[in-house]
């Protein structure tokens, strides 16, 4: 079913760890400061090199498209991911707001590309009428659909894109360009917020694209998007469809992921893992607001549960049997960190991104306590503090008073953050370039995809409702034509759930093709990939729900796509599959499945090429 991994670019994680994301300043030892200053310049240029059409490492990418990496083999990351592009754009917007005005053209190109991308029909669905296609994680760099098997849908991309564009829109409003924000940018944001409001309570794949469930990281960013989107809508004098779900998302975030020691990265999932995952640290960084209270529902870095979670996550990688690179390092010092302890992707190595994120997390928490002028330790967070400052007790420490321990605790925490930056300094190559990972065993050299990007930003606080309730809000989706989206329309459709039993080997996939444009007109490059999440030994089920034009009769067949460059295998002609699609019903629930097939593969089967 294909290799599933993340594609983030690590350079901007170093920018974040260096305080760029929130424009904060952290005094450091001279050797670290020199490393930071060097890496800042390398990082931003590395990002711009990966943006079409002029990026030196993004040949063929159209304007505004942010590639994940120039790597095209082992692994092939030469695509654009909605999540990664949005996280990258958030940093570009932040850098623009901090004075780098030459970056505005990149932002404008991104706006146009995303307006177009929202309307592209893909294996996650169509844009109209239900916005399902917005959950597609990845596209080709020319803005066409990626048709291979993948972990889809992914629910965080629309929220993250909305956050980036909301930040830019707020700048437009502040510079007397409110009309542009309203007519050009808001329609894109509105589509994304509609998607968040409609599907926040539906499962999807996590940011590592491996686990299907409800993601801590996605939920935190969905909350931020709805809160900030609602505020922008009021400023622009428009309605925010879906934003009324913010309190319920906050309640779900607060109540559902905590297990008493740490946050479970993914719930409502069949995967069996500890749940100790960088997902939960990255989420709190992503919603960081220096002025938010530590008990804010968004779960800020200084939150007691978040601090306990940070300790549990970091300590999981201190085992030298798991990570030889960390052997002999005391608990007061930073270490190299990976995604999660069960990781086997490229043998489960440390990531530059995640090691940098640990530093950024601690810097953010220190900034919040400084802003508040006090620091409260409770039984939940006590073990975290005692590792770093053994004299810590469960009490509130104030900045006031001649003998206050408050500054000593903050200094210990800052030193701890610096020690994670020191890990980066030790293992980043001399030229400053950053791959995705570095080896956990000697010689600890860079590995996996080269030249990668990610970033973080801030959040507005929100109050919890008195009682949590599941639900959603029906979205409203309109192409953002003022930003360059095609004026797509929708015919009346009916949802057909195709199911076929087909035994496959690892790396082999099943898609469906047919005689209609919905099914690719018999072109397997435009056929519809099926999902194997329900596949078991007892029932090798492949399935997909597809919105097909109502009232037509279709011919279709299933196709096996093979590994190692082997030719695809079609079903036997004797299968002769036809299906009558129900007539148009304007009053039908647009999400309801109206037909379910019960098919079994007919024809030859494949064997692995052994590559």
């Amino acid at each position: 079913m294909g290799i599933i991994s993340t594609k983030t670019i690590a350079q901007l994680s170093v920018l974040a760890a260096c305080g760029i994301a929130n424009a904060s300043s952290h005094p450091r030892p001279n050797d670290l400061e020199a490393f930071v200053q060097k890496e800042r310049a390398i990082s931003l240029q590395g990002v711009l090199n990966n943006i079409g059409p002029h990026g030196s490492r993004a040949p063929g990418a159209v304007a505004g498209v942010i590639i994940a990496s120039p790597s095209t083999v082992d692994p092939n990351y030469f695509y654009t991911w909605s999540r990664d592009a949005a996280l990258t754009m958030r940093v570009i917007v932040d850098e623009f707001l901090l004075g780098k005005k030459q970056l505005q053209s990149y932002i404008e190109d991104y706006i146009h590309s995303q307006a177009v991308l929202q309307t592209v029909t893909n294996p996650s669905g169509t844009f109209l009428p239900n916005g399902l296609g917005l959950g597609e994680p990845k596209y080709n760099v020319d803005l066409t659909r990626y048709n291979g098997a993948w972990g889809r849908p992914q629910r965080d991309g629309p929220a993250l894109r909305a956050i980036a564009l909301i930040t830019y829109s707020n700048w437009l409003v502040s510079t007397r360009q409110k009309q542009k924000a309203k007519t050009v940018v808001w329609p894109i944001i509105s589509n994304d917020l509609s998607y968040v409001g409609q599907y926040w309570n539906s499962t999807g794949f996590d940011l590592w694209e491996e686990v299907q469930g409800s993601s801590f990281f996605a939920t935190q960013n969905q909350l931020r998007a709805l809160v900030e989107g609602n505020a922008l809508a009021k400023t622009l004098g428009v309605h925010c469809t879906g934003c009324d779900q913010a309190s319920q998302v906050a309640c779900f975030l607060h109540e559902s992921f905590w297990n008493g020691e740490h946050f479970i990265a993914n719930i409502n999932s069949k995967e069996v893992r500890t749940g100790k995952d960088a997902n939960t640290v990255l989420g709190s960084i992503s919603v960081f607001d220096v002025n938010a209270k530590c008990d804010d529902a968004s779960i800020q870095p200084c939150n007691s549960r978040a601090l306990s979670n940070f300790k549990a996550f970091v300590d999981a990688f201190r085992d030298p049997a798991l990570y030889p690179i960390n052997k002999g390092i005391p608990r007061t010092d930073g270490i190299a960190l990976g995604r999660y302890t069960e990781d086997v992707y490229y043998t489960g190595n440390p990531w530059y991104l995640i090691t940098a994120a640990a530093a950024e997390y601690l810097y953010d928490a220190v900034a919040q306590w400084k802003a508040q002028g006090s620091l409260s330790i409770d039984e939940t967070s006590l073990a975290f503090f005692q590792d770093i400052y053994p004299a810590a007790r469960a009490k509130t420490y104030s900045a006031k008073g001649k003998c206050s321990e408050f500054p000593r605790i903050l200094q210990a925490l800052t030193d701890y953050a610096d020690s994670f930056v020191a890990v980066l300094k030790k293992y980043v190559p001399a030229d400053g370039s950053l791959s995705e990972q570095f080896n956990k065993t000697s010689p600890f050299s860079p590995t996996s995809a080269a030249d990668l990007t990610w970033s973080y930003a801030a959040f507005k606080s929100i109050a919890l409702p008195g009682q949590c309730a599941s639900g959603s809000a029906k979205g409203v989706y309109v192409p953002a034509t003022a930003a360059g989206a095609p004026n797509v329309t929708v015919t009346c459709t009916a949802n057909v759930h195709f199911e076929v039993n087909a035994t496959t080997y690892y790396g082999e996939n099943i898609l469906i093709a047919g005689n209609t444009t919905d099914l690719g007109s018999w072109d397997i490059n435009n056929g519809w990939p099926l999902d194997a999440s329900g596949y078991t030994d007892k029932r090798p089920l492949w399935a997909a729900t597809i919105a097909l034009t109502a009232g037509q009769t279709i011919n279709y067949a299933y196709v096996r796509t093979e590994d190692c460059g082997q030719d695809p295998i079609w079903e036997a002609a004797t299968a002769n599959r036809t299906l009558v699609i129900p007539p148009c019903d304007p009053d039908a629930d647009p999400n309801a499945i109206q037909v379910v097939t019960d098919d079994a593969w007919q024809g030859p089967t494949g064997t692995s090429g052994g590559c």
Side-chain angles (χ1 to χ4, degrees):
M1 287 171 277
I3 295 174
I4 299 176
S5 66
T6 191
K7 306 102 356 256
T8 50
I9 302 177
Q11 274 104 336
L12 282 181
S13 69
V14 174
L15 275 176
C18 298
I20 294 295
N22 53 31
S24 57
S25 177
H26 310 288
R28 300 179 185 83
N30 289 337
D31 60 333
L32 289 186
E33 187 60 34
F35 165 73
V36 164
Q37 294 302 327
K38 173 186 175 182
E39 202 61 41
R40 283 176 176 171
I42 293 171
S43 295
L44 184 57
Q45 188 57 52
V47 170
L48 300 183
N49 290 343
N50 287 355
I51 303 177
H54 304 301
S56 62
R57 291 174 175 161
V62 302
V65 166
I66 302 171
I67 67 166
S69 165
S71 176
T72 58
V73 291
D74 195 28
N76 183 0
Y77 285 177
F78 197 73
Y79 298 95
T80 183
W81 271 261
S82 296
R83 169 182 51 251
D84 298 55
L87 287 164
T88 303
M89 186 50 55
R90 283 168 61 177
V91 160
I92 291 175
V93 171
D94 285 344
E95 290 292 290
F96 167 73
L97 298 179
L98 290 172
K100 292 183 172 64
K101 300 306 180 185
Q102 71 273 20
L103 297 178
Q104 187 169 19
S105 63
Y106 291 93
I107 300 171
E108 295 291 336
D109 284 347
Y110 175 78
I111 290 169
H112 172 76
S113 71
Q114 300 309 295
V116 174
L117 202 64
Q118 284 186 334
T119 66
V120 174
T121 296
N122 56 67
S124 291
T126 58
F127 174 60
L128 299 176
N130 306 321
L132 285 168
L134 298 180
E136 180 67 5
K138 135 185 199 183
Y139 298 84
N140 296 317
V141 299
D142 61 356
L143 295 182
T144 58
R145 62 193 274 178
Y146 170 74
N147 226 39
W150 209 254
R152 53 171 68 95
Q154 295 179 26
R155 309 291 185 188
D156 52 3
L160 292 163
R161 179 167 55 208
I163 292 167
L165 296 183
I166 287 167
T167 303
Y168 184 61
S169 294
N170 285 330
W171 176 82
L172 289 173
V173 171
S174 72
T175 55
R176 300 183 180 181
Q177 299 179 74
K178 180 177 178 180
Q179 191 62 23
K180 180 177 179 179
K182 182 176 181 179
T183 60
V184 177
V185 189
W186 174 257
I188 304 172
I189 298 170
S190 179
N191 289 327
D192 284 337
L193 296 178
S194 281
Y195 183 90
V196 173
Q198 186 165 357
Y199 298 109
W200 71 267
N201 202 30
S202 301
T203 59
F205 281 83
D206 69 342
L207 79 167
W208 309 132
E209 306 183 308
E210 297 171 345
V211 178
Q212 186 170 20
S214 300
S215 161
F216 183 87
F217 176 85
T219 304
Q220 279 191 302
N221 283 284
Q222 288 166 340
L223 175 56
R224 176 181 175 179
L226 293 177
V227 173
E228 295 192 349
N230 190 54
L232 177 62
K234 291 179 179 178
T235 298
L236 299 178
V238 296
H239 176 67
C240 179
T241 301
C243 287
D244 60 349
Q245 294 296 301
S247 61
Q248 296 304 334
V249 177
C251 199
F252 178 68
L253 176 66
H254 184 74
E255 298 293 337
S256 301
F257 293 90
W258 178 248
N259 74 350
E261 178 193 4
H262 61 86
F263 294 116
I264 303 296
N266 298 285
I267 60 174
N268 301 323
S269 170
K270 297 178 182 178
E271 291 286 332
V272 180
R273 294 180 182 174
T274 64
K276 297 174 183 178
D277 191 308
N279 177 329
T280 57
V281 175
L282 296 170
S284 290
I285 294 170
S286 188
V287 301
F288 167 69
D289 177 356
V290 69
N291 295 313
K293 295 181 179 180
C294 294
D295 61 356
D296 189 275
S298 59
I299 308 180
Q300 293 288 315
C302 65
N303 178 280
S304 288
R305 289 182 175 182
L307 295 167
S308 177
N309 175 78
F310 183 88
K311 171 180 166 56
F313 169 69
V314 172
D315 285 353
F317 289 92
R318 293 190 182 278
D319 180 1
L322 175 70
Y323 262 39
I325 194 173
N326 294 331
K327 183 178 181 180
I329 299 176
R331 288 183 176 272
T332 53
D333 287 358
I335 57 175
L337 298 171
R339 300 189 300 172
Y340 52 91
T341 56
E342 302 91 342
D343 194 5
V344 295
Y345 179 63
Y346 277 80
T347 72
N349 290 301
W351 285 48
Y352 290 107
L353 157 70
I354 296 165
T355 305
E360 170 67 356
Y361 179 96
L362 294 165
Y363 289 140
D364 288 348
V366 169
Q368 290 177 314
W369 287 314
K370 284 183 177 179
Q372 295 166 17
S374 65
L375 180 158
S376 294
I377 301 176
D378 58 19
E379 292 301 326
T380 300
S381 61
L382 180 60
F384 164 84
F385 283 100
Q386 287 184 331
D387 277 352
I388 304 157
Y389 187 78
R393 298 293 179 267
K395 57 180 284 190
T396 296
Y397 294 87
S398 173
K400 298 178 181 179
K402 292 182 179 180
C403 300
S404 171
E405 291 181 87
F406 179 77
R408 294 198 292 276
I409 296 174
L410 292 195
Q411 186 59 55
L413 289 164
T414 301
D415 291 344
Y416 189 35
D418 287 345
S419 68
F420 284 99
V421 179
V423 173
L424 292 171
K425 178 179 180 295
K426 182 175 181 179
Y427 295 112
V428 167
D431 65 1
S433 63
L434 292 168
S435 297
E436 185 177 65
Q437 307 173 35
F438 51 108
N439 280 295
K440 61 186 177 184
T441 57
S442 182
F444 313 121
S445 55
T447 186
S448 188
D451 296 304
L452 297 185
T453 281
W454 204 337
S455 124
Y456 322 98
F459 181 81
K460 306 289 183 187
S461 63
I462 184 172
L464 286 171
Q467 183 175 358
C468 293
S470 61
S472 65
K474 179 175 172 54
V476 176
Y477 305 94
V478 179
T481 54
N487 190 19
V488 296
T489 58
V490 63
T491 58
C492 188
T493 60
N495 293 322
V496 178
H497 187 67
F498 290 93
E499 293 189 350
V500 60
N501 292 327
T503 301
T504 54
Y505 61 82
Y506 183 80
E508 184 180 34
N509 295 284
I510 304 292
L511 60 78
I512 184 172
N515 66 326
T516 68
T517 55
D518 299 323
L519 296 177
S521 301
W522 297 116
D523 179 358
I524 64 170
N525 293 318
N526 292 314
W528 206 282
L530 273 61
D531 172 57
S533 59
Y535 189 106
T536 66
D537 291 338
K538 292 183 178 180
R539 189 184 183 192
L541 177 65
W542 290 81
T545 299
I546 308 174
L548 299 175
T549 303
Q552 63 180 334
T553 298
I554 66 167
N555 302 108
Y556 68 98
Y558 297 104
V559 186
R560 293 174 180 265
T561 59
E562 304 299 292
D563 67 2
C564 304
Q566 299 180 88
D567 291 335
I569 300 173
W570 288 76
E571 279 195 293
T574 53
N576 192 29
R577 301 189 187 279
T578 63
L579 185 68
V580 177
I581 311 303
C584 181
D585 181 0
D587 298 322
D589 179 352
N591 293 314
I593 294 173
Q594 294 174 262
V595 179
V596 179
T597 70
D598 183 14
D599 297 329
W601 174 268
Q602 298 183 36
T605 58
T607 56
S608 175
C611 56

